[in-house]
Amino acid sequence: MSGKLYLCATPIGNLGDVSARCLEVLSSADLIAAEDTRRTLQLLNHFGITKPLTSYHEHNKREKGGYIVSLLKDGKNVALVSDAGTPAISDPGEDMVKLCIENGIEVTSVPGPVAAVNALILSGLNASRFAFEGFLSVNKRHRREHLESIKNDTRTLIFYEAPHKLKNTIADMQSAFGGNRRIALARELTKIHEEVMRCTLDEAAAYYEENAPRGEYVIVVEGAAAEKSETENEWNDVPVKEHVERYISQGMTVKDAVKAAAADRNVPKRDVYNEYHKED
Ligand code: SAM
């Protein structure tokens, strides 16, 4: 019988965030596959765990993936650990999961920290609907096309970013989303220098003209302003005639009042005109 692949979430900074079950799984696995063996070794040493450790990262995932699958097929249990946080979220763990599924090997998760979710809940932005966008491409054109394609998304958007690319990314976001869009820059989460800066894109750009970005960042961006749907339009409760007359009473011509009312109600001018002139 095949063994199991355990996707073990590890701390994104504070070692106290490791779960009891994660330690139990790491202690009992036949092999630990780690994205960054040095970092994982620190974790294992801290908790006194000694287990065979192998690397599994972006540059060896093909050969190493095959090797890990062969061990799993031999009945060994393997714990997969990423650099930090939850494996398969913006790291090669995703490929390992696909490979196991293709080979009929059971995969299970040991939940824990994810930088994106923690940044979202601290952002103060709408957390009920959000989209995780991961890392933007290093290619300028692809990055801009990506941002253009999501500029009208009304969900909160979450990005990962490295400090040396932060300023360019903020500039590209200003161009795509407009400088008034609110953001939260969550930095060094769960660590001593944890900080969440809540501001607009323009304010963030001005701040990083004066201050060098430091540490690991998650950028949380407010979604685009939603156009009011027909059912949400507050003018729906006001009869059309009364609506037009309100503008006329403010000194507008009938033509301008019809135009303004049509814009408020998000309907064609002709409809408002016809309704206004309809006999009671
Ligand atoms: N798998 C991880 C997770 O579950 O969040 C993410 C791995 S991804 C390769 C690394 C990126 O996550 C960093 O560049 C940064 O954007 C974000 N990140 C990781 N730890 C962080 C922290 N403590 N504070 C802020 N962002 C962090």
Side-chain angles (χ1 to χ4, degrees):
M1 209 177 94
S2 294
K4 244 193 234 182
L5 180 76
Y6 291 82
L7 303 174
C8 293
T10 54
I12 55 171
N14 190 325
L15 290 186
D17 293 334
V18 74
S19 76
R21 189 154 84 89
C22 179
L23 294 178
E24 200 179 292
V25 169
L26 292 174
S27 306
S28 59
D30 296 299
L31 177 72
I32 300 172
E35 190 183 6
D36 180 341
T37 48
R38 275 185 310 175
R39 196 160 172 174
T40 301
L41 203 54
Q42 282 171 3
L43 178 82
L44 299 179
N45 288 342
H46 184 85
F47 291 101
I49 299 171
T50 28
K51 276 284 155 184
L53 193 62
T54 192
S55 67
Y56 174 80
H57 49 66
E58 195 53 42
H59 308 290
N60 72 358
K61 64 185 183 187
R62 276 174 194 265
E63 324 82 82
K64 216 30 119 39
Y67 168 68
I68 293 170
V69 163
S70 69
L71 292 180
L72 286 158
K73 283 188 170 166
D74 278 350
K76 307 280 188 236
N77 288 322
V78 178
L80 184 73
V81 175
S82 70
D83 182 8
T86 297
I89 300 297
S90 290
D91 67 45
E94 182 180 356
D95 298 280
M96 195 63 232
V97 173
K98 287 181 188 154
L99 197 60
C100 285
I101 294 169
E102 276 162 27
N103 282 277
I105 291 160
E106 199 180 334
V107 184
T108 189
S109 70
V110 182
V114 188
V117 171
N118 286 281
L120 174 70
I121 62 174
L122 293 173
S123 69
L125 298 171
N126 183 357
S128 57
R129 294 191 65 216
F130 59 90
F132 176 61
E133 299 293 327
F135 287 100
L136 288 165
S137 170
V138 285
N139 178 294
K140 210 173 187 173
R141 187 167 62 85
H142 292 167
R143 203 166 62 230
R144 289 187 176 167
E145 282 171 2
H146 183 163
L147 292 173
E148 262 319 289
S149 74
I150 53 174
K151 69 178 183 190
N152 294 323
D153 197 326
T154 54
R155 295 171 297 178
T156 302
L157 306 169
I158 307 172
F159 302 84
Y160 282 165
E161 195 49 286
H164 63 282
K165 294 202 231 127
L166 190 78
K167 277 172 76 171
N168 279 346
T169 299
I170 290 174
D172 287 343
M173 286 180 173
Q174 279 177 293
S175 308
F177 303 151
N180 285 333
R181 195 77 83 90
R182 288 193 299 156
I183 62 165
L185 289 163
R187 177 177 98 79
E188 298 288 88
L189 292 171
T190 78
K191 302 183 195 177
I192 298 170
H193 298 294
E194 172 176 301
E195 185 181 59
V196 183
M197 189 164 116
R198 302 174 185 90
C199 57
T200 64
L201 279 165
D202 281 348
E203 287 163 349
Y207 178 83
Y208 284 109
E209 274 311 310
E210 304 294 325
N211 302 277
R214 281 215 181 86
E216 299 193 271
Y217 283 86
V218 181
I219 311 175
V220 186
V221 182
E222 176 183 40
E227 283 192 19
K228 286 217 165 114
S229 72
E230 221 173 289
T231 49
E232 283 172 330
N233 195 320
E234 69 255 39
W235 288 104
N236 284 351
D237 296 334
V238 180
V240 171
K241 265 192 191 210
E242 191 186 317
H243 192 167
V244 175
E245 275 157 8
R246 278 195 209 177
Y247 281 121
I248 293 172
S249 71
Q250 289 165 18
M252 277 192 192
T253 61
V254 172
K255 191 178 166 202
D256 286 345
V258 165
K259 191 172 164 190
D264 289 342
R265 305 174 88 91
N266 199 19
V267 294
K269 274 184 291 186
R270 193 182 351 98
D271 292 0
V272 173
Y273 181 88
N274 290 342
E275 186 66 26
Y276 178 68
H277 287 286
K278 206 166 77 181
E279 296 287 328
D280 288 326

